[in-house]
C-alpha cells in the first residue's frame, strides 16, 4: 500500500468533463480471479473541449481495452497506480475495459470481497475504483446494467441494483442474471451480491397503491432472525410517506446481511448491504438496545433513498448533506417509535461523549470539511451527528411547517442531482422566509461553541435580565471564530415548577410559556417582565443547540430542576451537572490522596428521581446514570483516567449503597410478568430494573450476587441475561468466570453473541483486564480480520475502558498500538478507527502523555495506509494556538 500524502481541498472542485450516460457491467465471479468488463457510453461535455478522459482504477489488472469495438493500442492510453488516462477521444464513444481482480485477497472490505463465501461489494466512498475503471466521484450519474455470471451451486442468488431483466443457464454449471437500474446514480451506490442465501419476502403497498416486494437475504441458519428488521422497514416506509411525503420508487427493495462489514450498513440503490449486527434479532440473541439500533439503521438506510440517492452529493466535502440529514430523519423516526424524551437524552449523551471530544481534538473539522487525505476518515461523529443537530436547529428556527416546506422544495428542485450543503440551506431559507447566511457558519466553523448565561432578577421592577454570551475555542486551522446563529429554547419556572408566561420588554404578542431566543451576537441581553418572583431558568430545552452550556446555577437550583423541570431533557441535564460537580470533586480527592468520604453526594435528589412515578422507568434510569468517563475527562485540564475511574466507581458504590433498599424493592416490583417481547414500554421497564440490579451489585452487598446469578439462569432473553452477566463481571464477582464460560458454551455458534462475550470482558474494570484482552486475542474465536470481532475486543478496550487502556505502565497503549500496526496491513479503515483512541493524548497527565506520544511515534514509523497516517500525523501535529 502506498503512503498517499496527497491532500484534497474543497475549493478545488471542477465538474467532470465527460458524461457517462450508461454503463454495462459484466461480472464473471471467481474468488481468486473475477473478470469485470465495463462498457461506458461516454459523451464529452460541450463546455469542456479537449480535456482527456481520466478513469479511476486501483489494483486492477488490465486484460483488454476497446474503443468503439476496436482494441485500443498501448500508445493511446496511460495506465498507472491511480487509473487510466486517454487523451484523444471523439466527443461521443463507447469505451470497454476488462480487468481481473482477486476478491479472496480483499481484507480491506472495500470493493468486491467475500464474507463467509458470499460475494459482496462496498463502494462508498471510493470502492468502485477497486472493481473497474470508472469516474469514481459522486457527481457522475449513470444508468447501470449489471450482468452477473457464477457457478449455480455455490452462488445460487445473484443480486444487483434495480430489477432483474434476464436469467441465463450456461455451460459448466454456471448461471447468469442481468439487472437494470432505471435511476441514474453515482457509482458509490452500486452493489452486487452473490451467495447461497435464504430469501425472506414480504410486501409493502405505497400510499399511491404501488406494491413493492421486500426481500431480506441472510445465511440460512439466520432465517428466523429477520422478522424485526422486516417490520422496521415497513414502519420506516410508512413514516417517510406520512412525515415527508416520500414514497419508494422501485418495485423491489432488497437487504443483504453479511458478517464482515466495515461500518453499520450501506444504502446502495434498491440493494442495501448490512452489517448482520443491524439485521439479525431473536429474543435470545439480541438485546433491547440491539432491537432499537436495528430499527434505527434500517430506517436510516431506507431514508437515504431520497436523502442521498435521489438527491446525492456533488463531492465528498458535502457528505453531511446526506448523512447529517439522514441521521436527523432516523432520529425523528426513532423518537416516534420509542419514548421521544429518552431518545433525545440518548442522542445528546452520544454527542457529548463522542462528538464533543472529536470537536476539541486534533481531528476537529467543520460539518463541511475543508480538506482530507483519506475520505473514509471523515465518516465522523461531526459529519453525522453534529450534522444532524444542525438540521434540527434549522427545524427549530423555521418551525415544523416551515421545515417541511423547505424539504418539499429541496426534493422538487434537486431530484436527480448531485448538490451541495449550500443548495440545501438555500431551499430552507427560501421556503422558510429566513436569512440563513450567518447560520451557514455551523457548516464552516469547527469546534463546540460555549454558551454562557447570566440571569438577574430585579424584585422591585419584576424584571428578569438574561445575558447570553457565546464563544468558540480555536481548532486546527481555525484560530478565530465568528458568532453562530444559535437557537436557545427556554422557559422560566416558578417555585412549584410551573412555566411562567414569558413577556419580553416591548412584546405585544400574547406571552407563551416557552420560547426560542435567537442569539446572533457575541453577547445579547433579554429582559423578561411581569415576573412576581425570582424565576428558575430552564435553559437550552431539548438541547436546542449543540453547545457547552456554562451557567452558574447553584446546586439548589439544579436539584430543583432535576425534580421539577417540565422539560425532561433539562431535568436530566440538571442531574448531569450536579453529578459532574460531585464527580470532579471526587476525582481531585483521588488524585491528591485526600479523603473522598467528605464530598457530599446528591443522594436525596437521586432517590426522588428513582422513585418518581410520573416519569417513565427509562427516563428514571437516565436521570440516575452519571456522565461517562470520557465526558468527565473533557471537563478537566489534565486528565488522570485512573482517578476519574475510581471517582466514578466510588460515587456509584456509595449512592447505590444509600439507595439499596429502594433499589431492591424496585427490582422486585419491575419483574416481568410475561414472556419477552420487544416493545418500548417493556424495554423501558427492563432498563430501570437492570440498573437496579447493577447498582445493587456495585453497592457491594454479597447477597445481591445471587439475584444476578438467578436472573442470568432464568432469563428468557438476551437483555436480562447479558445485564446480569455484566453486573457480575463489573463487580468482580467470584461467580463471573464460571458464567462467562457458560455463556460462551451456550452461544458459541452465534457470531453476534460471541462478539458480546468478547466486548463484555474487554470492558471489565480493573487493570488485569489488559492481560485478559491479550489472552482473548489468542482465543480460537478471535479473528482480527472480522471488523465486528476486532471492535468487540480492541475497540471496546481502547474506547470504552479508560482505566485499563490508560494503565499507568503504558501496557494498554502498547497492546493497542501493536494491533493497529498489524491491522493496518489488513484493513486500514478499521485500523484508523482504533488508532483514534490516542487522539486526546495531549490532555493526559505528563506521564501518560509521554507514553502515548511514544506509541504514536511508533505507529508513524510502522504504518502504511493513508487512513492511519492521517490520524497519527494530525494527533502529533503542533497543538493549536489559543
Ligand atoms: N453511507 C453509509 C451510511 O449509511 C456509511 C458507510 C457504509 C460507509 N459503509 C461504508 C462509509 C464504508 C465509508 C466506508 O451511513
Ligand atoms: Zn448514512
Amino acid at each position: 500500500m502506498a503512503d498517499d500524502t496527497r491532500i484534497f481541498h474543497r475549493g478545488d472542485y471542477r465538474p467532470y468533463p465527460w458524461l457517462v450516460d450508461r454503463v454495462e457491467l459484466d461480472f464473471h465471479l471467481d474468488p481468486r480471479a473475477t473478470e469485470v468488463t465495463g462498457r461506458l457510453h461516454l459523451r464529452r461535455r460541450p463546455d469542456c473541449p479537449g480535456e482527456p478522459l481520466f478513469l479511476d482504477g486501483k489494483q486492477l489488472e488490465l486484460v483488454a481495452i476497446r474503443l468503439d469495438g476496436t482494441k485500443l493500442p498501448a500508445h493511446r492510453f496511460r495506465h498507472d497506480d491511480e487509473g487510466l488516462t486517454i487523451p484523444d477521444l471523439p466527443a461521443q464513444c463507447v469505451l470497454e475495459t476488462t480487468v481481473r481482480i482477486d476478491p479472496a485477497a480483499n481484507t480491506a472490505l472495500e470493493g468486491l470481497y467475500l464474507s463467509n463465501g458470499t460475494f459482496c461489494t462496498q463502494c462508498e466512498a471510493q470502492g468502485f475504483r477497486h472493481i473497474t475503471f470508472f469516474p469514481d466521484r459522486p457527481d457522475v450519474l449513470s444508468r447501470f446494467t449489471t450482468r452477473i455470471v457464477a457457478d449455480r451451486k455455490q452462488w445460487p442468488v445473484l443480486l444487483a441494483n434495480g430489477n432483474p431483466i434476464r436469467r441465463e443457464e450456461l455451460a459448466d454449471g454456471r448461471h447468469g442474471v442481468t439487472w437494470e437500474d432505471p435511476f441514474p446514480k453515482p457509482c458509490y451506490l452500486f452493489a452486487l451480491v452473490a451467495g447461497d442465501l435464504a430469501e425472506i419476502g414480504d410486501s409493502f403497498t405505497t400510499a399511491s397503491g404501488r406494491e413493492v416486494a421486500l426481500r431480506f437475504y441472510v445465511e440460512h441458519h439466520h432465517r428466523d432472525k429477520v422478522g424485526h428488521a422486516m417490520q422496521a422497514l415497513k414502519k420506516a416506509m410508512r413514516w417517510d410517506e406520512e412525515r415527508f411525503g416520500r414514497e419508494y420508487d422501485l418495485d423491489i427493495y432488497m437487504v443483504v446481511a453479511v458478517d464482515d462489514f466495515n461500518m453499520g450498513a450501506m444504502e446502495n440503490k434498491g440493494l442495501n448491504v448490512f452489517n448482520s449486527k443491524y439485521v439479525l434479532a431473536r429474543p435470545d440473541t439480541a438485546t433491547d438496545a440491539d432491537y432499537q439500533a436495528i430499527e434505527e439503521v434500517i430506517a436510516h438506510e431506507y431514508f437515504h433513498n431520497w436523502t442521498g440517492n435521489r438527491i446525492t452529493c456533488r463531492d465528498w466535502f458535502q457528505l453531511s448533506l446526506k448523512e447529517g440529514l439522514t441521521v436527523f430523519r432516523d432520529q425523528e423516526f426513532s423518537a416516534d417509535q420509542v419514548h421521544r424524551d429518552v431518545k433525545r437524552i440518548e442522542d445528546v449523551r452520544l454527542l457529548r461523549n463522542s462528538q464533543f471530544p472529536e470537536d476539541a481534538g486534533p481531528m476537529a473539522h467543520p460539518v463541511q470539511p475543508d480538506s482530507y487525505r483519506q475520505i473514509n476518515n471523515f465518516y465522523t461523529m461531526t459529519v453525522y451527528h453534529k450534522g444532524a443537530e444542525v438540521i434540527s436547529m434549522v427545524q427549530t428556527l423555521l418551525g415544523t411547517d416551515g421545515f417541511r416546506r423547505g424539504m418539499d422544495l429541496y426534493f422538487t428542485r434537486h431530484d436527480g442531482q448531485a448538490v451541495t450543503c449550500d443548495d440545501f440551506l438555500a431551499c430552507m431559507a427560501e421556503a422558510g422566509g429566513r436569512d440563513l447566511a450567518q447560520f451557514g457558519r455551523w457548516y464552516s466553523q469547527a469546534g463546540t461553541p460555549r454558551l454562557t448565561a447570566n440571569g438577574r432578577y430585579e424584585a422591585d421592577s419584576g424584571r428578569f435580565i438574561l445575558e447570553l454570551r457565546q464563544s468558540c475555542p480555536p481548532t486546527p486551522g481555525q484560530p478565530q471564530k465568528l458568532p453562530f446563529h444559535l437557537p436557545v429554547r427556554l422557559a422560566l419556572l416558578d417555585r412549584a415548577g410551573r412555566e411562567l408566561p414569558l413577556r419580553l420588554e416591548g412584546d405585544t404578542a400574547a406571552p407563551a410559556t416557552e420560547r426560542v431566543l435567537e442569539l446572533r451576537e457575541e453577547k445579547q441581553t433579554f429582559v423578561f417582565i411581569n415576573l412576581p418572583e425570582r424565576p428558575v431558568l430552564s435553559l437550552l430545552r431539548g438541547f436546542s443547540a449543540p453547545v457547552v452550556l456554562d451557567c452558574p446555577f447553584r446546586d439548589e437550583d439544579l436539584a430543583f430542576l432535576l425534580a421539577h423541570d417540565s422539560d425532561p431533557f433539562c431535568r436530566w441535564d440538571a442531574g448531569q451537572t450536579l453529578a459532574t460537580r460531585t464527580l470532579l470533586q471526587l476525582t481531585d480527592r483521588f488524585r491528591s490522596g485526600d479523603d473522598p468520604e467528605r464530598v457530599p453526594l446528591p443522594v436525596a435528589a437521586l432517590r426522588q428521581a428513582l422513585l418518581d412515578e410520573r416519569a417513565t422507568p427509562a427516563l428514571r434510569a437516565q436521570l440516575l446514570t452519571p456522565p461517562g468517563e470520557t465526558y468527565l475527562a473533557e471537563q478537566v485540564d489534565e486528565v488522570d483516567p485512573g482517578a476519574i475511574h475510581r471517582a466514578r466507581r466510588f460515587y456509584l458504590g456509595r449512592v447505590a449503597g444509600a439507595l439499596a433498599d429502594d433499589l431492591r424493592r424496585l427490582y422486585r416490583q419491575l419483574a416481568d410478568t410475561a414472556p419477552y417481547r420487544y416493545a418500548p414500554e417493556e424495554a423501558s421497564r427492563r432498563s430501570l430494573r437492570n440498573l437496579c440490579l447493577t447498582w445493587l451489585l456495585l453497592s457491594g452487598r454479597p447477597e445481591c450476587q445471587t439475584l444476578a446469578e438467578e436472573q442470568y439462569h432464568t432469563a428468557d432473553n438476551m437483555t436480562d441475561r447479558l445485564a446480569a452477566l455484566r453486573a457480575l463481571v463489573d463487580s468482580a464477582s467470584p461467580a463471573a468466570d464460571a458464567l462467562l464460560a457458560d455463556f460462551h458454551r451456550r452461544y458459541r455458534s452465534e457470531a453476534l453473541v460471541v462478539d458480546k462475550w468478547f466486548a463484555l470482558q474487554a470492558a471489565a474494570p480493573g487493570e488485569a483486564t489488559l492481560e485478559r484482552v491479550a489472552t482473548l486475542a489468542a482465543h480460537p474465536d478471535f479473528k482480527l480480520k472480522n471488523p465486528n470481532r476486532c471492535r468487540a475486543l480492541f475497540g471496546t478496550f481502547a474506547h470504552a475502558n479508560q482505566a485499563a487502556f490508560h494503565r499507568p505502565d503504558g501496557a494498554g497503549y502498547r497492546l493497542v498500538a501493536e494491533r493497529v500496526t498489524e491491522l493496518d496491513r489488513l484493513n486500514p479503515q478499521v485500523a484508523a478507527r482504533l488508532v483514534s483512541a490516542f487522539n486526546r493524548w495531549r490532555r493526559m497527565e505528563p506521564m501518560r502523555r509521554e507514553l502515548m506520544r511514544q506509541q504514536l511515534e511508533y505507529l508513524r514509523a510502522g504504518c502504511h495506509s493513508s487512513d492511519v497516517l492521517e490520524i497519527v500525523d494530525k494527533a502529533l501535529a503542533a497543538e493549536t494556538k489559543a
Side-chain angles (χ1 to χ4, degrees):
M1 209 165 304
D3 169 9
D4 197 339
T5 50
R6 264 187 312 164
I7 296 177
F8 299 87
H9 297 273
R10 182 158 57 87
D12 291 348
Y13 176 79
R14 296 283 173 280
Y16 192 65
W18 293 81
L19 302 169
V20 189
D21 297 320
R22 275 193 306 129
V23 52
E24 289 136 17
L25 300 170
D26 211 329
F27 286 83
H28 290 260
L29 295 177
D30 181 288
R32 306 281 352 190
T34 287
E35 278 197 5
V36 186
T37 298
R39 228 174 349 268
L40 280 58
H41 296 253
L42 295 160
R43 206 154 40 94
R44 188 190 290 282
R45 280 174 63 130
D47 47 340
C48 302
E51 289 203 44
L53 176 78
F54 174 75
L55 302 175
D56 296 287
K58 281 199 151 179
Q59 294 155 312
L60 304 175
E61 182 193 335
L62 183 59
V63 177
I65 176 163
R66 282 171 295 272
L67 181 65
D68 292 321
T70 317
K71 180 177 187 298
L72 196 67
H75 70 270
R76 293 276 312 270
F77 66 91
R78 201 177 70 240
H79 179 198
D80 61 21
D81 287 351
E82 296 295 324
L84 213 51
T85 309
I86 313 178
D88 303 304
L89 285 177
Q92 193 160 350
C93 57
V94 178
L95 183 76
E96 185 177 296
T97 63
T98 298
V99 301
R100 199 171 294 125
I101 51 180
D102 183 355
N106 183 351
T107 56
L109 312 186
E110 183 185 33
L112 180 67
Y113 65 93
L114 284 157
S115 177
N116 298 341
T118 296
F119 283 99
C120 63
T121 54
Q122 172 54 42
C123 294
E124 187 176 6
Q126 298 175 334
F128 198 68
R129 63 187 62 184
H130 295 271
I131 296 177
T132 190
F133 289 107
F134 200 79
D136 192 357
R137 41 187 289 169
D139 60 342
V140 175
L141 276 56
S142 320
R143 284 198 181 76
F144 281 71
T145 306
T146 309
R147 176 171 178 256
I148 313 168
V149 172
D151 181 80
R152 157 181 282 287
K153 250 181 88 191
Q154 282 193 74
W155 299 284
V157 174
L158 305 177
L159 311 173
N161 318 79
N163 306 305
I165 55 167
R166 189 169 62 243
R167 287 175 200 282
E168 301 168 82
E169 296 307 326
L170 302 163
D172 313 325
R174 290 171 313 138
H175 68 144
V177 180
T178 303
W179 293 78
E180 190 179 69
D181 183 353
F183 291 94
K185 64 167 178 287
C187 66
Y188 82 86
L189 291 173
F190 170 81
L192 171 154
V193 171
D196 181 3
L197 301 167
E199 178 186 300
I200 293 92
D202 202 333
S203 81
F204 178 83
T205 308
T206 67
S208 66
R210 264 186 333 101
E211 177 142 327
V212 180
L214 311 179
R215 295 181 192 150
F216 279 73
Y217 294 90
V218 299
E219 289 176 18
H220 292 281
H221 60 115
H222 290 314
R223 59 173 319 132
D224 60 344
K225 302 194 190 78
V226 176
H228 175 68
M230 182 70 87
Q231 291 316 308
L233 175 59
K234 292 203 257 179
K235 280 199 242 177
M237 294 178 88
R238 191 62 76 212
W239 187 90
D240 214 15
E241 294 180 344
E242 288 169 358
R243 175 75 183 268
F244 288 107
R246 294 296 115 196
E247 262 191 38
Y248 187 60
D249 52 9
L250 282 164
D251 298 333
I252 319 174
Y253 192 86
M254 296 175 283
V255 174
V256 181
V258 296
D259 283 346
D260 300 277
F261 201 75
N262 282 348
M263 307 269 283
M266 181 62 212
E267 70 265 23
N268 317 301
K269 183 80 188 186
L271 177 55
N272 290 181
V273 178
F274 269 64
N275 185 328
S276 53
K277 178 181 162 69
Y278 295 111
V279 173
L280 306 176
R282 213 172 50 193
D284 61 324
T285 60
T287 62
D288 289 331
D290 295 328
Y291 275 84
Q292 190 181 326
I294 288 167
E295 201 163 74
E296 185 163 293
V297 179
I298 289 274
H300 179 98
E301 306 311 329
Y302 174 72
F303 296 155
H304 267 317
N305 191 54
W306 277 96
T307 50
N309 301 5
R310 288 289 287 258
I311 304 178
T312 195
C313 302
R314 187 193 72 174
D315 54 70
W316 292 119
F317 296 101
Q318 319 300 326
L319 183 58
S320 198
L321 173 82
K322 73 177 178 83
E323 295 304 347
L325 180 54
T326 304
V327 170
F328 169 79
R329 276 150 56 69
D330 82 52
Q331 288 177 345
E332 284 291 300
F333 166 76
S334 296
D336 285 345
Q337 313 306 313
V338 298
H339 297 105
R340 179 168 279 270
D341 306 328
V342 174
K343 172 64 181 155
R344 185 63 185 144
I345 289 167
E346 288 166 356
D347 291 342
V348 174
R349 228 188 245 284
L350 180 68
L351 198 74
R352 282 184 178 161
N353 277 328
S354 307
Q355 196 277 325
F356 281 18
E358 181 173 279
D359 227 351
M363 267 293 288
H365 55 276
V367 169
Q368 195 178 25
D370 292 315
S371 66
Y372 61 75
R373 269 172 75 176
Q374 175 49 259
I375 184 58
N376 289 326
N377 285 334
F378 285 80
Y379 286 73
T380 58
M381 289 299 299
T382 299
V383 165
Y384 276 64
H385 291 261
K386 187 178 184 178
E389 293 298 321
V390 171
I391 305 290
S392 173
M393 287 190 285
V394 173
Q395 183 174 245
T396 302
L397 291 172
L398 266 57
T400 323
D401 293 343
F403 181 74
R404 171 65 199 266
R405 283 198 306 277
M407 289 295 286
D408 288 348
L409 178 60
Y410 176 66
F411 289 128
T412 12
R413 181 176 290 172
H414 295 299
D415 187 13
Q417 300 176 0
V419 303
T420 64
C421 298
D422 287 344
D423 294 323
F424 174 81
L425 220 48
C427 291
M428 288 295 159
E430 194 175 317
R434 301 235 21 189
D435 179 359
L436 295 177
Q438 184 186 356
F439 185 84
R441 288 176 193 158
W442 283 107
Y443 283 94
S444 58
Q445 297 190 141
T448 308
R450 304 279 180 282
L451 176 65
T452 315
N454 261 302
R456 184 161 48 83
Y457 178 63
E458 285 178 355
D460 41 343
S461 63
R463 305 193 317 162
F464 181 73
I465 297 131
L466 177 64
E467 185 190 278
L468 297 178
R469 283 170 189 271
Q470 60 164 314
S471 64
C472 184
T475 48
Q478 294 189 336
Q480 243 118 44
K481 317 283 167 121
L482 296 166
F484 291 88
H485 181 182
L486 219 151
V488 182
R489 191 186 297 278
L490 56 69
L492 297 175
L493 308 178
D494 72 9
R495 294 247 161 84
R498 282 182 302 249
E499 295 172 6
L500 294 160
L502 299 177
R503 193 184 280 282
L504 279 174
E505 222 171 32
D507 255 4
T508 46
T513 58
E514 183 181 273
R515 53 192 293 170
V516 177
L517 303 180
E518 295 187 24
L519 182 62
R520 289 162 167 272
E521 318 287 324
E522 238 160 73
K523 183 187 132 183
Q524 271 170 261
T525 305
F526 301 87
V527 180
F528 295 93
I529 56 170
N530 297 351
L531 294 161
E533 55 176 322
R534 185 185 85 90
V536 179
L537 183 57
S538 170
L539 191 64
L540 210 66
R541 296 192 131 201
F543 204 55
S544 61
V547 300
V548 170
L549 179 58
D550 183 5
C551 195
F553 278 118
R554 298 174 304 177
D555 284 0
E556 308 89 83
D557 284 346
L558 290 172
F560 173 85
L561 290 169
L562 171 58
H564 297 295
D565 200 320
S566 47
D567 182 76
F569 169 80
C570 283
R571 267 190 90 175
W572 171 78
D573 202 28
Q576 295 293 294
T577 308
L578 258 187
T580 302
R581 285 183 187 175
T582 310
L583 285 160
L584 294 181
Q585 282 180 48
L586 287 169
T587 303
D588 276 348
R589 301 292 160 106
F590 278 104
R591 259 201 101 170
S592 59
D594 287 349
D595 185 6
E597 298 289 350
R598 301 233 299 280
V599 176
L601 303 171
V603 173
L606 291 173
R607 174 176 285 120
Q608 200 178 13
L610 178 66
L611 302 178
D612 182 355
E613 299 277 345
R614 296 162 310 161
T616 60
L619 178 59
R620 285 145 74 190
Q622 289 291 350
L623 294 177
L624 262 73
T625 306
E629 291 173 26
T630 50
Y631 174 82
L632 294 168
E634 293 296 314
Q635 314 306 311
V636 295
D637 295 330
E638 200 179 80
V639 184
D640 177 346
I644 290 178
H645 178 70
R646 288 202 299 280
R648 199 169 179 277
R649 295 284 289 188
F650 177 87
Y651 171 98
L652 288 170
R654 290 309 155 97
V655 174
L659 300 178
D661 293 338
D662 301 301
L663 293 167
R664 206 175 327 211
R665 191 160 28 79
L666 262 177
Y667 179 76
R668 276 194 301 271
Q669 272 173 23
L670 294 166
D672 39 69
T673 50
Y676 177 90
R677 185 172 66 97
Y678 173 72
E681 301 304 322
E682 295 293 294
S684 168
R685 179 183 55 75
R686 281 188 286 270
S687 73
L688 184 57
R689 184 166 194 255
N690 284 323
L691 178 128
C692 291
L693 181 68
T694 307
W695 282 33
L696 281 170
L697 268 75
L698 288 173
S699 75
R701 273 149 228 250
E703 77 274 14
C704 296
Q705 294 197 3
T706 45
L707 282 185
E709 287 175 59
E710 250 173 62
Q711 175 168 320
Y712 175 88
H713 287 294
T714 58
D716 71 342
N717 66 84
M718 181 50 72
T719 307
D720 289 336
R721 176 161 289 149
L722 189 67
L725 183 57
R726 176 174 294 127
L728 288 162
V729 170
D730 283 2
S731 59
S733 155
D737 278 345
L739 293 185
L740 276 168
D742 175 78
F743 191 85
H744 184 265
R745 221 175 299 122
R746 283 177 195 248
Y747 301 110
R748 61 193 328 157
S749 63
E750 295 288 348
L752 296 171
V753 187
V754 175
D755 289 339
K756 295 182 195 302
W757 183 78
F758 277 101
L760 184 60
Q761 297 178 78
E767 298 197 342
T769 294
L770 182 127
E771 281 77 22
R772 158 105 28 141
V773 169
T775 310
L776 284 169
H779 191 280
D781 286 347
F782 184 73
K783 305 179 185 90
L784 195 61
K785 282 186 188 165
N786 176 260
N788 285 357
R789 194 59 50 87
C790 182
R791 284 185 287 250
L793 187 62
F794 289 108
T796 303
F797 178 75
H799 291 290
N801 194 336
Q802 297 295 291
F805 174 59
H806 293 284
R807 228 164 82 151
D809 62 0
Y813 306 144
R814 287 194 297 276
L815 180 75
V816 173
E818 277 163 26
R819 283 313 161 122
V820 168
T821 314
E822 192 183 345
L823 193 56
D824 186 50
R825 286 158 172 79
L826 299 168
N827 189 329
Q829 282 184 40
V830 176
R833 302 275 152 168
L834 189 56
V835 84
S836 66
F838 288 91
N839 276 357
R840 298 303 269 147
W841 69 280
R842 281 186 201 276
R843 308 197 72 257
M844 292 295 141
E845 50 78 23
M847 204 181 62
R848 288 177 173 91
R849 197 185 309 153
E850 175 55 17
L851 289 166
M852 289 181 93
R853 196 192 58 75
Q854 285 168 10
Q855 291 309 309
L856 281 165
E857 296 287 2
Y858 160 84
L859 286 160
R860 174 142 69 181
C863 290
H864 299 286
S865 72
S866 59
D867 307 59
V868 171
L869 287 175
E870 176 169 39
I871 308 277
V872 170
D873 283 345
K874 284 183 179 169
L876 285 170
E879 207 163 357
T880 25
K881 292 279 165 288

